């Protein structure tokens, strides 16, 4: 298997995302973690901050690249010449959204295939919005995110208080 793209908003990246990255990087020779600029979601972190966090977290994974993308995901796939998309499936509740996205992408670009990986069960309930909420209420997020993300969240939320 040559290359795959793992797209997401990563606002912020969690241990669940990292688990999917590690699984995919064992299957594919090259993995591009594509951070969406995503005009449809209001993000806590800027695209620059999200990119910097993901880069720091995957810096010891030699086959993993980090890039930003804007516009249609399938156009980005074509631009990169990569036709495998990775998405994580955590629970049944993810299915409908992922099903819709995978089939829409297939309609837009039949040669792009979506591959689903299941993160470790201990990470299957984590979501970025839950992490943001807990951090915002000064709860402990150590078990949910890598240390660099924890530090960035604390700094970002501190800035909001000031
Ligand atoms: N571990 C933890 N959380 C996970 C996860 C995992 N393995 N997999 C998904 N999630 C969670 C995230 O935490 C996030 O939670 P939240 O909504 O509560 O904050 C949610 O699932 C989705 O986030 P993420 O995985 O970052 O991806 P996304 O769904 O925001 O990304 C894009 C969507 C960017 C891939 C999609 O919007 C896109 O392709 N946009 C480009 C425009 C386009 O082509 N549109 C047509 C496509 S149909």
């Amino acid at each position: 298997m040559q290359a795959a793209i793992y797209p997401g908003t990563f606002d912020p990246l969690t241990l669940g995302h990292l688990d999917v990255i590690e699984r995919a990087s064992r299957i594919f020779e090259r993995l591009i973690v594509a951070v969406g600029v995503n005009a449809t979601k209001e993000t806590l972190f800027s695209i620059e901050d999200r990119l910097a966090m993901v880069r720091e977290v995957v810096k010891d994974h030699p086959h993993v690249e980090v890039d930003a993308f804007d516009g249609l995901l399938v156009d980005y796939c074509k631009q990169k010449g990569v036709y495998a998309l990775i998405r994580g499936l955590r629970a049944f509740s993810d299915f409908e959204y992922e099903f819709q996205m995978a089939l829409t992408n297939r309609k837009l670009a039949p040669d792009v295939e979506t591959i689903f990986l299941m993160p470790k069960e201990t990470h299957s309930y984590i979501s970025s919005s839950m992490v943001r909420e807990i951090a915002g209420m000064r709860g402990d997020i150590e078990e949910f995110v890598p240390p660099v993300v924890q530090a960035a969240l604390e700094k970002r939320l501190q800035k909001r208080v000031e």
Side-chain angles (χ1 to χ4, degrees):
M1 302 267 200
Q2 287 186 332
I5 290 173
Y6 178 35
T9 309
F10 305 111
D11 185 42
L13 175 133
T14 68
L15 289 179
H17 289 124
L18 182 58
D19 185 87
V20 171
I21 291 172
E22 285 170 347
R23 282 171 206 284
S25 66
R26 288 197 290 268
I27 302 171
F28 292 90
E29 285 165 22
R30 181 176 165 229
L31 180 71
I32 304 172
V33 180
V35 184
V37 173
N38 209 338
T40 59
K41 269 191 181 176
E42 197 183 320
T43 57
L44 175 66
F45 288 101
S46 67
I47 181 66
E48 292 78 15
D49 287 347
R50 284 180 283 138
L51 278 169
M53 274 186 279
V54 182
R55 283 200 175 112
E56 180 61 27
V57 171
V58 304
K59 68 174 189 228
D60 296 325
H61 294 69
H63 308 296
V64 182
E65 298 163 31
V66 183
D67 193 17
F69 82 97
D70 204 356
L72 280 180
L73 181 57
V74 290
D75 288 344
Y76 177 74
C77 291
K78 285 179 197 162
Q79 182 198 320
K80 289 283 167 187
V82 175
Y83 296 90
L85 277 176
I86 302 292
R87 291 289 292 171
L89 261 191
R90 291 164 300 167
F92 195 67
S93 50
D94 279 344
F95 181 78
E96 206 167 314
Y97 171 63
E98 295 298 337
F99 178 79
Q100 196 179 17
M101 194 152 80
L103 291 189
T104 307
N105 283 331
R106 181 184 287 171
K107 188 80 189 160
L108 293 171
D111 47 354
V112 173
E113 205 60 64
T114 306
I115 297 155
F116 295 100
L117 297 178
M118 284 184 210
K120 203 170 170 184
E121 57 284 6
T122 45
H123 300 320
S124 61
Y125 62 95
I126 307 174
S127 75
S128 302
S129 53
M130 258 179 53
V131 165
R132 292 193 304 269
E133 185 177 319
I134 297 167
M137 295 177 182
R138 300 287 177 268
D140 188 2
I141 50 163
E142 193 183 341
E143 281 187 50
F144 308 133
V145 292
V148 58
V149 173
Q150 184 180 1
L153 263 166
E154 285 164 1
K155 200 170 151 199
R156 181 77 185 80
L157 293 166
Q158 186 56 38
K159 246 192 212 165
R160 276 211 315 202
V161 171
E162 288 164 5

